Amino acid sequence: MKKTALLLSLSGVLLSSTVQADTLLGLYLGADGWRTSVDGSFANTDQLQAFNFDDKTQTSYYVALEHPLPLIPNIRIQRNKLESSGSTLLANDFSFGGDDFTNGTQVQNQTDITSTDYVLYYEVLDNELFSLDLGINGKYLDGSIALSEASIADGTAVQQDFSQWVPMVYGAVRVGLPLTGLDVFAQGSFVSYDGSQLYDAQAGIAYALLDNLAIDMTLKLGYRQVDLQLDDIDNLYTDLSFKGLFAGVEVHF
């Protein structure tokens, strides 16, 4: 009888410690695959030239750390690739990167952008049915846009490099659907200043594939759109839109 009581007592302590550890600190790891259609324009001046872009699957990874300390924000770091290329027949004379391209020239255009989000946020509400996060996002954009004549074999592309820190507001909301294992969610960052406007928004549905004391695993499906309207960032003007369906997985320890 004493042995049984001791075992039950130890089990209770271990269970309590596990629950408490999860309450004190939560680590989230996630990855998304995002099939994007891309459209938009760019130039070295505000006279933008429209280009064609091919559809492409982008990747996104993130890690988030949450804790119960009231005055210290939680942190989320996310890294995104925004890449696409295409072939465009110019309808006007166009200068880019110090080179001139004449009307009627077939050109190859390519974007290669990395977007890294450093989000500090607070859990305003957090329960099984509803959660709301609010904070700020320091988005770091680093990339290049290249252009070359398609008719010149192995022609050298002119390339415009740029990098910029962009402060944004951040918000995320989740609504649980009782007895289904499903959540509806939305998340986004936005800023508009000095002629530039950027937003990164997504919405979708999540399914709890695993939900236990050791690990939670969630599958996600949704729609995401990123718009980059840059006004004279390192001598670059853009109006680019990446949008499409994404699927992902999130693990919570």
Side-chain angles (χ1 to χ4, degrees):
M1 184 69 179
K2 291 183 178 180
K3 291 182 179 180
T4 302
L6 179 60
L7 288 174
L8 291 174
S9 177
L10 288 173
S11 299
V13 170
L14 290 175
L15 179 60
S16 175
S17 298
T18 303
V19 173
Q20 185 178 18
D22 183 68
T23 303
L24 291 177
L25 196 64
L27 178 64
Y28 296 82
L29 302 175
D32 296 336
W34 177 30
R35 185 64 178 177
T36 58
S37 62
V38 185
D39 55 61
S41 52
F42 60 83
N44 288 139
T45 71
D46 58 2
Q47 301 300 310
L48 299 179
Q49 167 70 47
F51 291 90
N52 301 319
F53 295 93
D54 298 328
D55 295 351
K56 184 176 176 60
T57 299
Q58 317 286 349
T59 56
S60 180
Y61 308 94
Y62 63 89
V63 57
L65 186 64
E66 296 185 349
H67 57 79
L69 302 177
L71 298 180
I72 300 177
N74 303 299
I75 185 169
R76 174 188 173 99
I77 300 174
Q78 180 163 339
R79 189 173 180 86
N80 317 279
K81 295 296 290 184
L82 300 172
E83 300 176 334
S84 188
S85 60
S87 180
T88 303
L89 182 66
L90 294 179
N92 304 286
D93 293 342
F94 183 66
S95 296
F96 186 75
D99 278 14
D100 295 325
F101 300 86
T102 59
N103 178 16
T105 301
Q106 192 79 27
V107 295
Q108 297 290 337
N109 46 275
Q110 180 169 342
T111 64
D112 186 358
I113 303 171
T114 299
S115 168
T116 307
D117 299 304
Y118 300 90
V119 181
L120 300 177
Y121 66 96
Y122 293 97
E123 294 182 285
V124 179
L125 293 170
D126 185 20
N127 56 57
E128 291 297 322
L129 294 180
F130 185 80
S131 69
L132 174 65
D133 299 339
L134 295 175
I136 57 173
N137 178 9
K139 181 183 284 289
Y140 182 66
L141 296 172
D142 181 31
S144 63
I145 296 179
L147 199 62
S148 63
E149 287 193 38
S151 61
I152 301 178
D154 300 324
T156 301
V158 293
Q159 180 172 299
Q160 182 75 49
D161 299 323
F162 68 97
S163 61
Q164 181 75 23
W165 281 98
V166 182
M168 309 177 74
V169 294
Y170 169 85
V173 62
R174 177 189 59 81
V175 178
L177 304 179
L179 306 178
T180 65
L182 297 173
D183 293 336
V184 177
F185 66 89
Q187 175 186 311
S189 298
F190 173 82
V191 71
S192 180
Y193 70 100
D194 292 340
S196 294
Q197 180 174 292
L198 295 87
Y199 74 80
D200 181 349
Q202 61 177 267
I205 193 164
Y207 174 69
L209 184 64
L210 291 176
D211 187 3
N212 55 54
L213 293 175
I215 187 173
D216 299 337
M217 179 179 291
T218 302
L219 303 180
K220 300 183 298 177
L221 180 66
Y223 185 87
R224 182 180 180 188
Q225 181 167 342
V226 174
D227 275 19
L228 302 176
Q229 297 179 30
L230 305 179
D231 186 83
D232 196 12
I233 303 299
D234 289 342
N235 199 35
L236 183 66
Y237 296 74
T238 71
D239 187 0
L240 298 170
S241 179
F242 299 77
K243 52 185 178 291
L245 295 174
F246 74 90
V249 60
E250 179 181 271
V251 179
H252 170 215
F253 299 94

